[in-house]
Amino acid sequence: MDSYHQEKLHHTPWIEKYRPKNLSDVSSQDQSIAILKQTIKSGNLPHMLFYGPPGTGKTSTILALAKELFGPNLYKSRVLELNASDERGISIVREKIKNFARLQISNPTVQDLESYPCPPFKIIILDEADSMTNDAQSALRRIIENYSNITRFVLICNYITRIIDPLASRCSKFRFKLLNSENSLNRLRYISDVENLNIEEDVLMKILSISQGDLRKAITYLQSSSKLSNMNDDDDKITIEKIEEIAGVLPDKTIDGLVDLIMKKRVNDIVGFINDLVLEGWSIQQLIDQLHDNLLLDDKVDTRFKNQISLLLLDCDKKLNNGTDEHIQLLNLVLQISKIV
Amino acid sequence: MSLWVDKYRPKTLSQLSYHDSITQNLRGLSKSGDFPHLLMYGPSGSGKKTRIYCTLNEIFGSSIEKLKIDVKTFVTSSNRKLEFNVLSSPYHLEITPSDMGNNDRVVIQDLLKDVASTEQVDFSNQSSKRHRFKIVIINEADSLSRDAQAALRRTMEKYSSNIRLILVCNSISNIIAPIKSRTLLIRIPSPTPNEIGKILHNITEREQVQLSSGDVDKFYERLALASNRNLRRALLSYETLAMQSETINISSNQQLINLDWETIIKSMAKDITTSRNVSTIAKLRTTIYELLSHCIPARIILKTLLFDLVDLHHENNKLVEEVVSTGSIFDERLSLGTKSIFHLEGFIARSMVVIDKYIR
C-alpha cells in the first residue's frame, strides 16, 4: 500500500476500517448469515428486507454479500446504493431506480467468473428505507415485480412498521437481533489488539454495557477514548471514567443524590438540584434512562409504585419526543415521582 | 471598539480558563491532527463555540479566523430557489441549516455532499500532518428535522475521510440515536459562579473598572447567578453596569441589569397570584401580544413565567407540584399547536385555578 492510501486509512474511522469484508466476519447474526451463504451457493437471491436496531450489522452484511457475489470489478455496474442522504422522492424512484432496474446486465469478464459467482442480476440497496415517503414506497411496488428477472431489491430499515405492507410482503424478511455480548466482546478485543490499545477487560465490558448491543457505538467509544488517552502521554490507559464521560453517562453518585431527594420529598431542593443538572448540560434523555434503571430494576420501591413510575416515565418520554422543553418536563417528572413514592 | 465578550474571547486553547479536562482532551485531539466527528452540547453561554474555534486554531493556525460569507443558492425538489448563508474560511464551513426550516434536508444533502465528495488539497503544508479533510460546523443541530438528520447518517460514514462534522447543540435529546453513535460527545457544562467571578475579576483589572468598596466576590457571584451562569450574559450585563456609572456600587442591593421582558414576565406572575379573575386574563393578553410582537418566543415566555411562579410560591410544595405539571402539559401543547396565544392564555387561566385551590 502506498503512503497516500496508508494516510487515508489512518484518517478513516474504525467503524469503516473494521467493517466486515466478507459474510463470515459479521458478528453473531448466525441465522441470517447461514441463509445468505446458502443463497450465494445457489446463485439466486430473493428480494430482501433487513430490519433491526442500529449497529447490528445490516448495512455491513449486504455490502459484504454484494462484494462476495460480484467482486470489485463488477460491483460498480451491478450494485446501486441509495440512502437517506440521496434525494428519494417519488420522482427519483420513477427515474433513477427504474432506469437502473431495467438496465440490461453487464457481462462479467472471464477472471471475474472464475473467482466470483456473478449471478445474472443487479442489486439495488435502499438503505434507511423507513425514511422514504409512503408515495415513494408505493411507486416501488410495481417496479420490484416488473424487473424481478434482472434486479433484486434489498431494503434496510430500523422499524419494519414504517414499511408499507405491500412492499414488505414482496420481500423475505431478515431480523437482525441485538448482538450478544460474547461476540461483540470478541470483536472489540480483536480491534484493541490490532490497534495496540492499553485496555482492561472490565473496561471493555463497561463499553459493551453502555452501548447496549450497538456494536457501532461500542467501536466509536473505543476509538474516541483511545484518541483522548493517546495525547495525554503520561497515561494512555483507558479507564471506565473516560468511557463514561465520552458516552455522556451521568455518574452514579448524581443519580443516587437525585433519588435520595425524591425519597425525601423536599420540593425546593429538587427544584434547585434539577436546575443545576440542566446547567451542567447533561442529556435529559440519558438521565431518564438511568433514572428508570435505578428505580425500576431495584427493590427499593414497591411494585405498585413501579407501575405508576413507568407510566410517568412513558408520559415524559412522549412529551420530550414532541419537542418540549427539557427543563420543565424533567422537573415535572421528578416532582410527580416524589409525590407518589 | 468591540464588546468585552468579543474582546476577551480566548483565541487559543491555552487561554481557556475553566473545564481544564475538556481543554486537555481537545488539545490531544488537535495534536494528533485528526479527530472523529464531534457533537458538542451544553447550555448557552458555556463556551462551546469558543472551544471549537480554539481547537481549530490549534490545528490549522490563525487562517481559520479569516472568515467570509458566501450566499449559496439551492433548488428544492419543487423547483423553488433558496438562498443560504455560509460562513467559511479556507479550512472550514459554518452553517445553520435550521434557518431553512423544512428545507434543511436539501442543504444537508447538497452542500455537504458537495464539500464531502471533493478532497482537500493542501500544498502549502508539506509536513506529515497534512489535513485531508475539511471541517463543517453545524449550528443548532438539535433543531434539524428528522429527515435532515437521517440524511446526515450515511454521509458521515461514506465521506468520513474527506470531511469532519462538528455539531453544536443545546441538548442531545432531539438528536437521533444513529448520529449519536457516530460522534464523539463532548459535554460543556456552564461555568460555576466562582469561575465566572474569576473571569470578571480579570476584566475588572484589565479594563480598570472602578468598584466601590465592599465584598467584591459577593458582587461577582450575584452577577453570575442573576445571569443563570451564562458567561456571555454575565459579561454583557457587567459591561452595561460599567457603562452606566463611573463607579459601580457593589454593596447596595440595587437591581442588577434585568432584561425588560423578564421584568414584565415577573410582574405578570405577580398579577396572576394576586388578582385571579377574568379581567386580569384580558389585561395579560395584551401584554403577551406585546411580548410576542417583540420576538420573544412563546416557549421562553411560558418557561420564564412558570419558573417565576415556582419562585413566588416556593414554600407551598403542593402548589409547586401542580403548577409544574400544568406547565408541562401546556408546554407540550405549545410545541404541537401553532397558535401560541391560546396555549399561553390557557396556562395563565389554569394556573390561576391551581393557585386559587391552594391559597385561600
Side-chain angles (χ1 to χ4, degrees):
Chain A
M1 213 188 296
D2 55 40
S3 64
Y4 169 77
H5 280 103
Q6 236 161 25
E7 197 182 312
K8 197 162 175 177
L9 195 66
H10 176 73
H11 282 303
T12 325
W14 292 355
I15 38 170
E16 286 297 314
K17 200 167 164 188
Y18 295 98
R19 207 182 260 289
K21 300 272 183 316
N22 50 46
L23 279 183
S24 334
D25 277 355
V26 178
S27 301
S28 60
Q29 307 294 351
D30 303 329
Q31 222 177 350
S32 312
I33 298 298
I35 300 174
L36 289 175
K37 275 193 175 149
Q38 203 57 43
T39 61
I40 293 187
K41 257 188 220 148
S42 68
N44 199 4
L45 206 67
H47 299 298
M48 292 184 290
L49 175 61
F50 290 179
Y51 65 101
T56 47
K58 300 178 295 295
T59 312
S60 298
T61 306
I62 188 61
L63 291 179
L65 176 72
K67 283 216 177 84
E68 273 189 42
L69 279 177
F70 299 115
N73 295 329
L74 216 49
Y75 186 86
K76 278 209 177 94
S77 63
R78 291 290 187 89
V79 179
L80 175 69
E81 193 193 334
L82 289 174
N83 51 59
S85 69
D86 305 291
E87 181 60 53
R88 279 193 309 193
I90 190 159
S91 59
I92 294 295
V93 172
R94 283 193 186 132
E95 289 159 26
K96 206 168 169 188
I97 296 186
K98 204 168 173 183
N99 282 342
F100 185 83
R102 67 177 168 207
L103 218 65
Q104 276 307 321
I105 39 181
S106 53
N107 272 333
T109 57
V110 183
Q111 294 98 312
D112 280 341
L113 266 180
E114 273 167 7
S115 37
Y116 299 103
C118 301
F121 51 75
K122 301 177 302 268
I123 296 182
I124 297 184
I125 304 172
L126 294 171
D127 207 345
E128 294 146 26
D130 35 10
S131 65
M132 284 172 85
T133 58
N134 276 359
D135 285 347
Q137 291 189 33
S138 324
L140 265 183
R141 293 160 54 169
R142 204 53 201 146
I143 298 177
I144 290 191
E145 283 182 348
N146 269 347
Y147 302 105
S148 60
N149 54 341
I150 47 171
T151 307
R152 298 288 182 275
F153 281 83
V154 180
L155 305 176
I156 302 180
C157 62
N158 291 129
Y159 306 101
I160 195 169
T161 43
R162 301 243 180 97
I163 304 290
I164 57 171
D165 278 346
L167 210 52
S169 72
R170 282 174 171 81
C171 307
S172 56
K173 301 182 194 67
F174 291 86
R175 189 170 72 88
F176 281 68
K177 45 188 187 302
L178 277 178
L179 304 184
N180 60 19
S181 46
E182 194 188 335
N183 280 321
S184 2
L185 190 63
N186 281 337
R187 192 75 191 160
L188 284 186
R189 203 180 289 132
Y190 167 75
I191 293 176
S192 58
D193 282 349
V194 175
E195 294 283 339
N196 271 329
L197 298 183
N198 181 2
I199 190 163
E200 306 263 327
E201 195 80 342
D202 56 329
V203 182
L204 284 181
M205 292 301 289
K206 182 74 190 175
I207 295 183
L208 282 183
S209 76
I210 290 177
S211 54
Q212 292 173 337
D214 183 341
L215 190 55
R216 176 175 45 227
K217 219 189 233 171
I219 294 178
T220 314
Y221 288 157
L222 190 65
Q223 180 172 23
S224 310
S225 54
S226 85
K227 275 255 161 61
L228 288 187
S229 42
N230 249 340
M231 69 292 169
N232 298 341
D233 304 315
D234 41 330
D235 82 300
D236 61 343
K237 205 166 169 167
I238 297 169
T239 57
I240 291 185
E241 289 79 42
K242 276 181 191 156
I243 302 286
E244 278 187 338
E245 180 59 42
I246 288 166
V249 176
L250 285 87
D252 285 340
K253 222 168 67 193
T254 318
I255 298 288
D256 286 342
L258 181 60
V259 172
D260 195 47
L261 283 180
I262 289 177
M263 297 296 174
K264 283 185 189 143
K265 302 188 178 213
R266 292 214 300 257
V267 172
N268 286 322
D269 291 351
I270 291 180
V271 173
F273 194 82
I274 298 283
N275 194 23
D276 280 348
L277 274 182
V278 172
L279 284 180
E280 288 291 309
W282 294 112
S283 153
I284 303 304
Q285 208 106 55
Q286 179 69 37
L287 178 86
I288 292 174
D289 275 358
Q290 282 181 268
L291 202 59
H292 165 268
D293 289 352
N294 191 306
L295 286 174
L296 297 193
L297 305 181
D298 209 316
D299 286 334
K300 275 193 291 244
V301 284
D302 209 301
T303 325
R304 219 151 30 92
F305 291 132
K306 282 187 183 175
N307 204 340
Q308 286 172 305
I309 290 174
S310 38
L311 272 178
L312 287 175
L313 287 170
L314 172 92
D315 184 53
C316 182
D317 193 54
K318 186 197 93 190
K319 282 179 179 161
L320 280 178
N321 270 332
N322 281 333
T324 51
D325 188 273
E326 290 184 329
H327 194 165
I328 298 177
Q329 297 306 336
L330 180 68
L331 186 60
N332 179 39
L333 172 77
V334 173
L335 287 180
Q336 293 295 326
I337 293 179
S338 82
K339 197 163 128 192
I340 57 168
V341 172
Chain B
M1 201 187 86
S2 54
L3 293 172
W4 291 357
V5 186
D6 297 319
K7 199 169 166 190
Y8 294 102
R9 185 191 296 279
K11 293 266 177 352
T12 58
L13 283 177
S14 48
Q15 290 171 1
L16 289 173
S17 56
Y18 52 94
H19 300 331
D20 285 335
S21 65
I22 297 175
T23 312
Q24 272 286 324
N25 289 344
L26 290 175
R27 185 169 293 133
L29 287 178
S30 60
K31 213 183 272 172
S32 69
D34 178 28
F35 53 85
H37 300 298
L38 300 182
L39 177 56
M40 294 255 195
Y41 64 104
S44 55
S46 57
K48 301 181 287 294
K49 200 62 97 32
T50 309
R51 279 177 173 67
I52 291 175
Y53 273 101
C54 289
T55 316
L56 293 184
N57 198 338
E58 198 96 349
I59 299 178
F60 297 108
S62 58
S63 59
I64 204 80
E65 286 158 28
K66 290 178 193 141
L67 296 171
K68 62 175 176 149
I69 298 178
D70 291 331
V71 179
K72 301 217 170 183
T73 48
F74 294 98
V75 183
T76 59
S77 49
S78 53
N79 272 330
R80 255 186 55 216
K81 271 223 173 88
L82 298 171
E83 293 206 331
F84 182 65
N85 289 328
V86 180
L87 202 62
S88 66
S89 83
Y91 299 103
H92 87 291
L93 296 176
E94 187 177 334
I95 52 176
T96 313
S98 47
D99 286 351
M100 310 291 288
N102 278 329
N103 289 313
D104 52 359
R105 190 174 53 108
V106 188
V107 176
I108 296 276
Q109 283 174 348
D110 287 9
L111 181 75
L112 281 193
K113 271 202 175 161
D114 202 31
V115 179
S117 48
T118 51
E119 208 163 303
Q120 181 87 346
V121 186
D122 185 1
F123 290 115
S124 58
N125 188 354
Q126 291 297 333
S127 70
S128 61
K129 267 203 252 164
R130 266 182 297 176
H131 309 294
R132 297 215 172 274
F133 52 83
K134 205 162 189 172
I135 310 275
V136 177
I137 302 176
I138 300 182
N139 286 321
E140 293 171 36
D142 42 357
S143 45
L144 282 179
S145 64
R146 290 285 146 108
D147 280 345
Q149 293 190 36
L152 267 183
R153 288 168 60 167
R154 193 69 189 131
T155 315
M156 287 170 99
E157 287 185 347
K158 214 167 173 181
Y159 303 106
S160 52
S161 55
N162 294 342
I163 194 172
R164 290 289 181 282
L165 296 180
I166 302 182
L167 307 173
V168 186
C169 60
N170 285 130
S171 80
I172 53 174
S173 294
N174 288 330
I175 308 275
I176 57 173
I179 299 230
K180 275 189 257 180
S181 81
R182 282 172 176 85
T183 46
L184 167 59
L185 304 180
I186 299 183
R187 180 177 60 92
I188 317 268
S190 294
T192 62
N194 207 349
E195 286 160 344
I196 294 183
K198 271 185 202 142
I199 292 167
L200 291 179
H201 179 70
N202 189 10
I203 290 178
T204 312
E205 281 179 355
R206 300 255 294 268
E207 288 287 327
Q208 310 268 321
V209 183
Q210 302 296 322
L211 300 175
S212 70
S213 59
D215 194 349
V216 187
D217 290 335
K218 206 55 166 279
F219 167 71
Y220 291 147
E221 196 183 319
R222 217 149 51 86
L223 202 55
L225 288 177
S227 49
N228 206 10
R229 286 165 64 184
N230 179 336
L231 183 56
R232 186 184 317 126
R233 222 178 127 186
L235 285 179
L236 284 173
S237 50
Y238 186 45
E239 186 170 5
T240 321
L241 280 176
M243 292 292 143
Q244 275 175 350
S245 51
E246 289 274 293
T247 47
I248 302 174
N249 188 356
I250 57 172
S251 50
S252 77
N253 252 338
Q254 60 148 329
Q255 272 296 304
L256 293 166
I257 301 296
N258 263 337
L259 298 176
D260 283 346
W261 61 272
E262 287 188 338
T263 328
I264 292 173
I265 292 182
K266 207 162 234 142
S267 71
M268 277 170 70
K270 281 204 189 91
D271 284 347
I272 291 173
T273 314
T274 46
S275 48
R276 303 179 290 272
N277 49 41
V278 180
S279 64
T280 319
I281 299 186
K283 202 183 88 195
L284 291 180
R285 173 183 297 161
T286 45
T287 322
I288 294 177
Y289 267 127
E290 188 89 338
L291 286 172
L292 286 175
S293 66
H294 281 86
C295 291
I296 311 287
R299 300 181 55 181
I300 305 277
I301 299 180
L302 179 78
K303 190 175 174 184
T304 323
L305 188 58
L306 174 64
F307 282 103
D308 280 341
L309 282 175
V310 170
D311 234 23
L312 273 179
H313 300 280
H314 62 87
E315 73 292 328
N316 197 335
N317 290 350
K318 281 258 157 45
L319 196 155
V320 168
E321 266 169 27
E322 206 157 330
V323 167
V324 170
S325 106
T326 319
S328 90
I329 291 169
F330 281 96
D331 184 31
E332 188 189 19
R333 291 190 186 159
L334 206 53
S335 61
L336 291 177
T338 45
K339 191 93 175 131
S340 45
I341 186 83
F342 293 152
H343 306 296
L344 285 175
E345 266 184 26
F347 172 67
I348 290 175
R350 185 77 220 158
S351 47
M352 279 181 184
V353 174
V354 172
I355 295 171
D356 215 35
K357 201 159 102 192
Y358 291 102
I359 300 183
R360 272 285 160 194

